[in-house]
Amino acid sequence: MIEIKEATKEQSADIARLIMMAMTDDCCMYFCGDGYGLEEFYRMMVMLVRREDSQYSYMNTMVAVDDEKVVGISVSYDGGRLHDLRRAFIETAKVQIGKDHSGMGDETQTGELYLDSLAVVPEYRHQGIAKKLLKAVKERANRLGLPVVGLLVDKGNPAGEALYASAGFRYVNDCQWGGHSMKHLVL
């Protein structure tokens, strides 16, 4: 039986892998400096998930677990805190993946619970897990008093866009992020 729970620090390695799955290898490589690859990016992500002051923190993560196995994640945070939370990524990326991202544009804003990452392990897909995670994100937004859940979906991900549309998300505008053309959706 799949359960949706608050993540723990001990799940950081699994959470980092799933965040990278949500981002895609292409996007992860976009963030790496010359001579750095997916293994270095993964090590950095584990560090960021373990922190409490990072946008990717386990404290911002809900996990879907089958027994004790992490089979899905949703990472979300108050968009108004983006700059404070992103500081950990910027500082860590300079050291761990050799690239300065201090000029990166904003992917969210105040008044929005930003769904940064949503992923389900491939063999667990099409079982309603993503929808359960989306429901948990909406409940989190309600608890935090944030009226909107927002996300970016890659224009090359029609299956993801269809999932979000089926959960009630609607299109707001187009944007660029991580070297990709994206759509901003809200619920």
Side-chain angles (χ1 to χ4, degrees):
M1 170 128 182
I2 304 297
E3 291 182 86
I4 309 298
K5 301 178 176 184
E6 297 283 337
T8 65
K9 190 183 261 190
E10 293 72 33
Q11 296 165 324
S12 295
D14 293 330
I15 294 166
R17 282 198 200 289
L18 284 162
I19 291 170
M20 288 178 65
M21 183 184 299
M23 291 175 78
T24 75
D25 288 352
D26 201 31
C27 188
C28 295
M29 288 302 297
Y30 171 85
F31 286 111
C32 290
D34 290 339
Y36 294 89
L38 294 175
E39 202 48 49
E40 290 90 358
F41 193 88
Y42 171 70
R43 282 195 295 274
M44 178 189 74
M45 291 305 295
V46 172
M47 292 168 64
L48 291 170
V49 173
R50 292 183 64 76
R51 292 176 67 153
E52 295 182 4
D53 63 345
S54 159
Q55 66 198 90
Y56 300 110
S57 173
Y58 71 94
M59 295 187 70
N60 296 328
T61 305
M62 299 292 296
V63 292
V65 293
D66 182 9
D67 194 14
E68 291 302 312
K69 180 182 177 183
V70 176
V71 299
I73 55 107
S74 64
V75 179
S76 61
Y77 50 85
D78 180 342
R81 296 188 59 223
L82 173 65
H83 294 170
D84 289 337
L85 293 171
R86 185 185 279 164
R87 193 171 302 120
F89 176 81
I90 292 168
E91 293 167 0
T92 306
K94 286 176 188 175
V95 174
Q96 298 296 318
I97 57 174
K99 201 163 180 183
D100 182 356
H101 291 289
S102 55
M104 185 185 320
D106 294 350
E107 67 258 33
T108 184
Q109 66 266 330
T110 299
E112 174 177 270
L113 181 68
Y114 182 64
L115 177 56
D116 187 287
S117 304
L118 177 75
V120 175
V121 172
E123 55 269 22
Y124 281 84
R125 292 181 184 163
H126 308 292
Q127 297 179 32
I129 296 169
K131 284 194 176 182
K132 287 180 183 178
L133 286 164
L134 288 170
K135 182 179 178 208
V137 169
K138 181 60 177 158
E139 290 168 356
R140 185 165 191 240
N142 293 342
R143 282 193 310 276
L144 294 173
L146 293 168
V148 173
V149 175
L151 60 86
L152 298 182
V153 62
D154 194 303
K155 287 185 176 182
N157 183 3
E161 190 174 346
L163 166 70
Y164 298 129
S166 74
F169 282 84
R170 61 182 168 68
Y171 170 83
V172 176
N173 60 357
D174 292 339
C175 60
Q176 286 286 125
W177 187 85
H180 291 252
S181 295
M182 308 290 265
K183 290 183 179 181
H184 180 203
L185 308 179
V186 296
L187 174 65

